[in-house]
Amino acid sequence: SLRPSYIKDVSADVMGMIIAGILIYSLAHDKPWDKQNRAFFRLVFVLGLLFHFDAVSGFMEGSSDNVDAIRFINTAVMIFEAFMAYCFWAYIREEMKVEKILVPITNVICKAVVIIDLIVCIINCKFNILFSINENGEYLTGKFAGLYEITKVIIYAVVLFVILEDKERSNKERGILLTFLIFPIISHMWVYLFDNYASIYPMYLFSVMLIYINVFATRSR
C-alpha cells in the first residue's frame, strides 16, 4: 500500500505532468518553430519526464518485488535532472543570443558537468554513493547525495554569469531572466542543506511557467 507521504509526492508529480503536458501541447503548435522555441520545448519536455519518473518512483517505492526497477527509475530521475539543468542553459543561450565567443566556453563547462553527472549515476549503481534501495524497496540517501546538487549549481552559475555580462539588455530584462534562474538555484541549495527533494520539481515548474508567461507577454507587446 502507498504511504501518505508518497501519496502527497505522487499527487504533486501528477499535477506537474498535467501542466507540463499542456505547455508541451501549446509549444508543439506554436509558430515560428525557431531555435528559441525548440530550446524551450526541450526544457518543458524534460521537466515532464522528470515528473513522470518521479511519480512512478513514488508509486513503486516500498515494494520489495521491484527493487531493481525502483533503482533504475531513481537513476533515470537523477539523469534527467542533470539534463534539465543543461536544457535550462540551452534556452537562456538562445533567448539571450549569447555572443559566439562565449558559447564554446560555456558549452564546454555545462556539457562537462552533465557528463560528470552521468558518470556518477553509473558509478552509483555499483557503489550507492548517491542513493541505495534496500530489500524492502525503500529509498535511502547516500553519503554524497548532497554533492550531486552542486554540479547543477555550477550550470546555473554559468547562466548567472552570462545574464550579468549582457550589457545590451536593460536592468528590467535582466531582472526577468534572473527570476527564471533563482528558483532552480534555491531548490538545489534547499536539497543540499536539508536533504528535502519535495520542492525541487515544483520550483522548476514555477520557473518554466514564468518563462512561458514572459514569452507570450513579449509577443503581445
Side-chain angles (χ1 to χ4, degrees):
S1 62
L2 212 58
R3 291 186 294 178
S5 59
Y6 295 154
I7 292 173
K8 181 179 179 181
D9 291 343
V10 169
S11 63
D13 286 332
V14 171
M15 182 60 66
M17 285 171 56
I18 293 172
I19 296 174
I22 293 171
L23 296 181
I24 289 169
Y25 178 83
S26 173
L27 290 168
H29 291 79
D30 192 27
K31 298 290 186 279
W33 190 241
D34 53 18
K35 287 185 177 180
Q36 184 178 337
N37 273 11
R38 291 198 297 270
F40 189 35
F41 180 87
R42 288 194 298 269
L43 176 66
V44 180
F45 186 76
V46 172
L47 179 59
L49 289 176
L50 264 175
F51 277 118
H52 169 73
F53 279 102
D54 199 49
V56 173
S57 172
F59 273 118
M60 296 182 67
E61 191 169 346
S63 172
S64 58
D65 298 328
N66 298 294
V67 172
D68 290 336
I70 296 169
R71 183 181 293 109
F72 171 79
I73 291 168
N74 280 281
T75 300
V77 168
M78 289 198 158
I79 289 173
F80 279 117
E81 190 178 313
F83 279 118
M84 179 73 189
Y86 182 81
C87 287
F88 202 99
W89 150 245
Y91 171 74
I92 293 295
R93 183 186 64 205
E94 297 300 334
E95 165 70 23
M96 298 188 67
K97 303 294 187 290
V98 178
E99 296 177 15
K100 290 184 178 180
I101 193 172
L102 282 177
V103 170
I105 302 171
T106 50
N107 268 344
V108 167
I109 295 173
C110 293
K111 286 180 179 178
V113 169
V114 173
I115 291 171
I116 290 170
D117 280 348
L118 293 177
I119 293 172
V120 171
C121 286
I122 293 170
I123 293 174
N124 181 75
C125 295
K126 176 68 176 177
F127 298 103
N128 299 326
I129 57 177
L130 301 177
F131 71 89
S132 61
I133 308 297
N134 64 18
E135 64 275 9
N136 296 320
E138 296 170 334
Y139 181 102
L140 302 175
T141 303
K143 183 183 294 185
F144 299 102
L147 296 178
Y148 185 74
E149 303 305 318
I150 293 178
T151 55
K152 317 303 177 304
V153 175
I154 291 174
I155 293 180
Y156 293 124
V158 170
V159 179
L160 178 63
F161 169 77
V162 170
I163 292 175
L164 295 178
E165 282 295 303
D166 186 2
K167 306 302 182 184
E168 295 184 2
R169 290 177 179 263
S170 66
N171 290 334
K172 180 181 178 181
E173 289 175 319
R174 282 189 290 175
I176 292 173
L177 292 172
L178 287 173
T179 60
F180 303 158
L181 178 66
I182 193 67
F183 294 105
I185 289 180
I186 290 174
S187 65
H188 284 290
M189 293 305 297
W190 185 267
V191 170
Y192 177 74
L193 294 173
F194 302 105
D195 192 28
N196 186 337
Y197 289 80
S199 64
I200 186 168
Y201 304 138
M203 284 281 198
Y204 268 126
L205 180 61
F206 187 68
S207 182
V208 164
M209 290 179 68
L210 284 177
I211 295 174
Y212 184 85
I213 291 169
N214 180 67
V215 167
F216 284 91
T218 301
R219 289 186 185 181
S220 295
R221 287 196 298 271

